[in-house]
Amino acid sequence: MKAVVWHGTGDIRLDEVPDPKVLEPSDAIVRITRSAICGTDLHLVRGTMPGMVEGTVLGHEAVGVVEEVGPAVRGFTPGDRVVVTSTIGCGTCSYCRAGYYAQCDRANPNGPSAGTTFFGGPEATGPVDGLQAEYARVPFAMTTLVRIPDAVTDDQAILLSDIFPTAWFGARLAEVGPGDSVLVLGAGVVGQFAVASAKRQGAGRVFVVDGIASRLDQAREQNAETVDFNREDPVALVRELTGGIGVDRVIEAVGVDAQRPKTGPAADPDQAGQFDAERRAAAPGANPDGDQWVPGDAPSQALRWAVEAVAKAGSIGVIGVYPPGFGSFPIGEAMNKNLTVRMGNCNHRRYLPELLDLVVSGVVDPTAFITQHERPVDAIEAYRSFDRREEGWLKTVLDVA
């Protein structure tokens, strides 16, 4: 079968690889009909999430049709349409039973203390071959798969594999409640869904910070109040718009590949040395090719703005990705503002069923955030365009079938 395969930092290819097989009684084989490219995939290619194993199939978002099930899989049969949850959980350990699927004790072959297992990740997460392929082996299928209602299309369902649940989780981490003012850092597709999630969890006002015009335009379509960090100082403006207090809640949806402002009042050349040191530490094996696969030039920027822009005793939910060992965080300022900071990998299986209900009822149409459809043969070029943050490249779906 064809699959997008990681061969090294800055080196991904569309390869022919062996078809997956059932290896455990709880496995299922799924024929992929839709996959997608996520910002987390770019971390793996840019080198800001180290530890990848050569030959690993990339991708952690997919919709498909069950082709084969192991003898322990009783709730699914061949022909069922399913969405694959990005993180893998066994469903029976104490963590899964409590809803913390991302910290499953059994899914990660590196042991209980190894933490989250997700498709297409580095060695510390398994590794488990990913979902940017024609077929995929799905471990613990009874938990990792969710049946798709007939009323939900593949295009709608693909954004529930990872993006929508992650954004919903971010709003929950930030403790968004009725009437809150909320700042979303990052207007990529996770940030867009964070706006939608915050509003549906009761937010009174939602501000969004980014530096790409087309993404800010999309946020305005949701009636978010937008800030271009290349033209305005996000922290100063948010404070001004909140009566000098700051926002109640922040959802940080950027992560380690944050970009520093290039122009405007927020551009601070005095921070360049610190950010450069952070980037060297976060991506020591980076392998840029001109303007391609370049790690973000301000790894801690989003975290710093989050702490500075939130009100005293406010709360921050961090869903942007940071690699193990990343150590830059303004803990002193957070401590002295009595902030609550919560973070982590999304427990997708916990939220996906209720979000499917929102789609079925018409409350949310995820397809509004899909800006590109590509065939698998064009996947590598799609990665390149997405990596360069080109205008209009918000969310790319791979039409596998």
Side-chain angles (χ1 to χ4, degrees), residues 184-192 208-210 212 215-216 219 253-254 394:
V184 176
L185 290 167
V189 69
V190 176
Q192 301 291 341
V208 181
V209 173
D210 204 289
I212 297 178
R215 296 181 177 184
L216 293 172
V254 181
L394 182 66

Side-chain angles (χ1 to χ4, degrees), residues 89-169:
C90 72
T92 59
C93 72
S94 62
Y95 285 96
C96 287
R97 291 185 182 192
Y100 297 107
Y101 297 96
Q103 295 301 321
C104 175
D105 265 347
R106 298 177 60 207
N108 196 322
N110 296 301
S113 64
T116 306
T117 293
F118 66 92
F119 291 96
E123 185 174 16
T125 69
V128 178
D129 274 330
L131 306 175
Q132 290 168 6
E134 293 180 284
Y135 294 87
R137 169 184 167 256
V138 178
F140 300 107
M142 288 297 296
T143 304
T144 310
L145 298 179
V146 176
R147 184 177 281 103
I148 302 172
D150 291 341
V152 176
T153 67
D154 284 1
D155 279 352
Q156 290 174 320
I158 185 60
L159 293 178
L160 276 73
S161 179
D162 176 25
I163 300 302
F164 195 1
T166 294
W168 192 268
F169 175 62

